[in-house]
């Protein structure tokens, strides 16, 4: 939901494909691959609240709490907590690469520095 281009976020969240049905009065579960700064989740929570969802819960495969810049956005369910390292694979990318790795790996800093 951010720029998705590198290891640093632009801080801007853009919707590339919106929901196709109204969420008013519905109980929602956001399924994330990773929560990092929390900006994407904050944006989504605010948007869905504005659209009058009855409730919103969040499940994430990975959580990187040491990188959080937005407070009060926490997942309800977490698969694994990860340290402050850039991870790829299982859908997570670096400049659109490595998404299809069948495991989650830590990107060597020399790749992106
Ligand atoms: O907590 P944040 O700092 O906002 O980061 C988390 C977001 O970043 C990633 O998306 P990304 O923008 O890389 O797009 P992608 O899912 O298309 O790879 C990931 O899928 C989360 O949605």
């Amino acid at each position: 939901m951010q720029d998705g281009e590198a290891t640093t976020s632009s801080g801007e969240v853009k919707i590339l494909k919106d929901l196709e049905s109204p969420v008013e009065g519905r109980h929602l579960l956001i399924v994330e691959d990773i929560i990092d700064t929390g900006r994407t989740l904050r944006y989504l929570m605010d948007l869905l609240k504005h659209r009058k969802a009855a409730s919103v819960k969040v499940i994430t495969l990975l959580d990187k709490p040491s990188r959080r810049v937005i407070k009060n956005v926490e997942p309800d369910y977490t698969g694994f907590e990860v340290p402050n390292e850039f991870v790829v694979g299982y859908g997570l990318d670096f400049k659109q690469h490595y998404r299809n790795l069948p495991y989650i790996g830590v990107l060597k800093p020399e790749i992106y520095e």
Side-chain angles (χ1 to χ4, degrees):
M1 295 293 277
Q2 335 152 245
D3 59 5
E5 291 291 318
T7 60
T8 55
S9 162
S10 64
E12 184 189 359
V13 179
K14 279 186 218 155
I15 292 189
L16 302 182
K17 176 87 175 71
D18 206 342
L19 295 171
E20 291 177 0
S21 49
V23 298
E24 183 169 352
R26 298 184 68 177
H27 296 279
L28 307 179
L29 177 65
I30 297 176
V31 180
E32 263 291 19
D33 49 6
I34 189 163
I35 301 174
D36 191 306
T37 64
R39 286 193 184 104
T40 303
L41 195 53
R42 173 81 281 152
Y43 181 91
L44 288 177
M45 298 292 285
D46 288 349
L47 180 70
L48 296 171
K49 195 174 164 191
H50 178 74
R51 293 184 182 181
K52 302 188 170 65
S55 69
V56 184
K57 289 207 169 192
V58 181
I59 185 165
T60 186
L61 176 61
L62 305 178
D63 186 17
K64 213 192 280 186
S66 59
R67 286 257 309 161
R68 207 76 94 242
V69 297
I70 305 289
K71 304 299 170 199
N72 307 323
V73 282
E74 297 305 328
D76 297 284
Y77 312 101
T78 300
F80 303 93
E81 199 170 290
V82 292
N84 186 8
E85 293 181 298
F86 199 82
V87 288
V88 291
Y90 250 75
L92 294 152
D93 73 301
F94 168 68
K95 294 188 172 181
Q96 303 301 334
H97 294 290
Y98 312 116
R99 270 193 206 281
N100 57 346
L101 288 178
Y103 53 84
I104 295 171
V106 175
L107 197 63
K108 288 181 184 162
E110 55 260 41
I111 305 291
Y112 56 82
E113 280 174 356

